[in-house]
Amino acid sequence: MDIAFIDNLAYNRDSVMHRASALSKVIMVALVIAAVVISTQVVVFVMALVFLLMAFLISNLPVLRILSFAGYALVFSFVFAVSSVGGGIAPIVVMLKAVTAAVSMLLLITTTPYPQIFALGRKIFPTILIDAMLVTYRSFFILMEQVGRVIIALRMRGGYSPARVVGNLNIMGKVVGHGFIHAWELSENMQNAMLIRGYRGGMPVSAARKHSLKYSLLPVLLGTTVLMVAVFV
Amino acid sequence: MSHIHLPDGVIPVFWWIIGYLLTAAILGLAISRTKSTEARRKVPLLGIIAAVMLVGQSIPLGFIPFHLGLAVLAGIILGPWLGFMAAFISNMFLALIGHGGITVVGLNTVVVGSEVIIGYLLYNMFRRATVRPVLPVILATALTLIITIAFMVGVVAISQVNPAMILMGEDAGAIKDSVVVDSPVAISLRRFVAIIVPIAAIGIAIEAFATGLIVRFILGVRPEIVGAPARER
């Protein structure tokens, strides 16, 4: 899981795409996914991928490392493509559909901090869900760091070996159990802190950087172009 | 265990819209059933348990490509309604980092959320019969997974989902992916069941055993987390 790596790219890099508003990039993803859903033409997906790669190149991001995440979508779509050979959509189209959607999503999350995306979700989802997502985002890093430390300690003491499945299971049960208890205590502390601060629902989210309309036009234009290509080609 | 890892653009629009509608309906019910004061109080716990589910899914168990789902445990700790919300949050996070498409979040939430709800109900049923909660947890987890897998097989049978896709996944013991294809199914349902039974049995055993170990550890330190009487300190 590379949430920490993605989070770092979204927060600490600066580019035209980073300066575009979260809303404009979500609209871009929605338009690209709409194109992915309606089109079955190889040329559409190739053009969409070219546009998205150009956006990555101007975003000051490690393109190859990020694109390796799209390999996940490629593998699963390959499985689907192979399993349904002989009917329906051509296998190459299935794979291109999956990769195009995944790359657009990667462009969104590597240029937009998660809290900004969740803040947008406040317009759609109930407050409890968005607040809980913000807590999840915050506590995931705390828990991963803690579990990471425990696993390092286990390995140093010979308590974790890739070959011992049953032994690993036993130890992982304790590690995750310990994580649950830590999480429970963390939630109690957080709950007290939130009550003291007068929490009544709706955590505030501040923008990571100033957004301007001129930067926000780029992702919308990109998404619209991809959709237009899908509609007219 | 039964998280669907399919990328966007592969599942037909009809099915992912059905998934989102079902998820919206159950989430609406869950939020209406949770009193506003209780919801505010439990936001930190909800967010953190969703984070623990993500952490559990981040830790591989040695050389076998399997990770824990922890959906049943989330249901036991949070209850069915908040547990369903935790399933939605963890699926949304996974989609944002490319583990399954954003269009599959609805179906994923229905599948993982059903594990939460069924697991909670079965645990409470078995819990009345015994004093120690470890055995009920193992039984509830195993039975829940059997039910959800049977449910998936039922979906295969009635909706002409391609069984080959369900057999594929990053986890050896997991039922992963369900896709409706225009073509006739690639392999027969009977063969699919014959293949899936031993694979699923391993996955169910690992998840049930691990969940039991986690609960055993929690019982030794903070038993009140899983509803057992608190120990004097």
Side-chain angles (χ1 to χ4, degrees):
Chain A
M1 189 110 28
D2 292 284
I3 290 180
F5 172 71
I6 289 166
D7 196 57
N8 185 34
L9 293 177
Y11 263 107
N12 296 325
R13 299 289 172 108
D14 189 20
S15 72
V16 178
M17 287 300 286
H18 283 84
R19 290 181 193 182
S21 70
L23 178 62
S24 67
K25 285 177 274 189
V26 168
I27 290 171
M28 174 198 74
V29 171
L31 292 170
V32 171
I33 289 177
V36 163
V37 168
I38 63 171
S39 181
T40 54
Q41 301 294 316
V42 172
V43 66
V44 170
F45 301 115
V46 172
M47 286 178 73
L49 283 170
V50 169
F51 291 141
L52 290 167
L53 287 175
M54 283 165 64
F56 268 111
L57 289 172
I58 61 166
S59 299
N60 191 23
L61 294 166
V63 181
L64 290 178
R65 172 90 193 270
I66 292 170
L67 290 183
S68 68
F69 298 137
Y72 190 83
L74 189 66
V75 168
F76 280 99
S77 61
F78 176 75
V79 170
F80 170 76
V82 170
S83 69
S84 59
V85 164
I89 309 166
I92 185 72
V93 173
V94 173
M95 290 162 68
L96 284 170
K97 272 174 176 267
V99 171
T100 307
V103 169
S104 70
M105 184 61 79
L106 285 169
L107 184 59
L108 167 69
I109 61 170
T110 51
T111 57
T112 318
Y114 280 102
Q116 301 298 314
I117 301 171
F118 299 147
L120 272 181
R122 215 183 277 286
K123 293 178 173 61
I124 305 166
F125 299 114
T127 305
I128 181 175
L129 284 178
I130 297 300
D131 285 356
M133 281 181 189
L134 290 167
V135 173
T136 302
Y137 167 77
R138 170 72 185 133
S139 46
F140 175 80
F141 296 105
I142 297 171
L143 293 172
M144 276 305 277
E145 192 181 338
Q146 187 217 2
V147 169
R149 278 202 300 265
V150 173
I151 289 176
I152 288 170
L154 279 172
R155 283 187 166 145
M156 287 176 74
R157 295 175 181 216
Y160 183 92
S161 165
R164 292 187 311 135
V165 176
V166 177
N168 287 345
L169 203 59
N170 190 13
I171 287 166
M172 279 303 132
K174 288 175 181 168
V175 170
V176 179
H178 181 253
F180 257 103
I181 290 164
H182 182 72
W184 182 272
E185 288 169 352
L186 192 65
S187 78
E188 286 176 336
N189 293 339
M190 202 178 282
Q191 185 188 325
N192 291 336
M194 285 162 69
L195 285 173
I196 289 167
R197 292 180 182 187
Y199 173 73
R200 292 281 179 274
M203 291 181 186
V205 179
S206 60
R209 54 173 63 83
K210 295 270 183 193
H211 301 298
S212 69
L213 184 64
K214 66 175 179 180
Y215 294 120
S216 300
L217 283 175
L218 179 65
V220 176
L221 194 64
L222 197 158
T224 308
T225 307
V226 171
L227 184 60
M228 288 297 109
V229 170
V231 170
F232 294 111
V233 173
Chain B
M1 184 173 149
S2 44
H3 179 259
I4 299 167
H5 283 68
L6 273 180
D8 290 308
V10 175
I11 288 187
V13 178
F14 174 77
W15 285 104
W16 62 257
I17 287 178
I18 289 286
Y20 266 115
L21 290 176
L22 273 173
T23 296
I26 302 171
L27 277 176
L29 186 65
I31 289 165
S32 70
R33 288 292 186 96
T34 313
K35 290 177 183 172
S36 61
T37 47
E38 187 195 353
R40 280 202 296 269
R41 197 165 55 80
K42 291 202 167 172
V43 160
L45 183 62
L46 168 60
I48 288 174
I49 294 298
V52 173
M53 288 171 77
L54 283 170
V55 170
Q57 289 163 7
S58 308
I59 306 170
L61 297 173
F63 69 89
I64 54 166
F66 186 88
H67 58 67
L68 299 174
L70 301 175
V72 174
L73 192 53
I76 291 168
I77 292 174
L78 289 173
W81 303 124
L82 287 172
F84 192 88
M85 292 184 214
F88 173 74
I89 292 167
S90 67
N91 280 315
M92 187 59 88
F93 264 88
L94 289 171
L96 284 174
I97 57 163
H99 281 241
I102 196 81
T103 53
V104 198
V105 168
L107 285 170
N108 266 327
T109 306
V110 172
V111 173
V112 180
S114 68
E115 279 184 27
V116 170
I117 295 170
I118 296 169
Y120 167 82
L121 294 173
L122 287 176
Y123 171 72
N124 281 304
M125 197 172 78
F126 294 142
R127 184 77 176 86
R128 293 189 201 107
T130 58
V131 180
R132 298 284 292 175
V134 174
L135 188 62
V137 166
I138 294 172
L139 285 175
T141 307
L143 206 56
T144 298
L145 294 176
I146 290 168
I147 291 169
T148 52
I149 287 166
F151 170 68
M152 295 293 280
V153 174
V155 171
V156 172
I158 62 171
S159 64
Q160 291 192 315
V161 170
N162 185 349
M165 272 311 294
I166 293 189
L167 292 171
M168 306 303 175
E170 79 171 333
D171 300 339
I175 284 185
K176 283 297 179 192
D177 313 312
S178 56
V179 179
V180 179
V181 290
D182 299 332
S183 59
V185 291
I187 59 175
S188 75
L189 188 67
R190 185 178 294 176
R191 189 176 162 202
F192 161 68
V193 172
I195 297 168
I196 199 70
V197 165
I199 298 171
I202 297 168
I204 290 167
I206 290 175
E207 179 92 25
F209 187 47
T211 309
L213 289 169
I214 293 166
V215 169
R216 193 178 69 171
F217 183 85
I218 293 172
L219 278 171
V221 186
R222 293 285 300 269
E224 67 273 20
I225 293 177
V226 286
R231 295 188 321 167
E232 288 185 15
R233 298 190 182 191

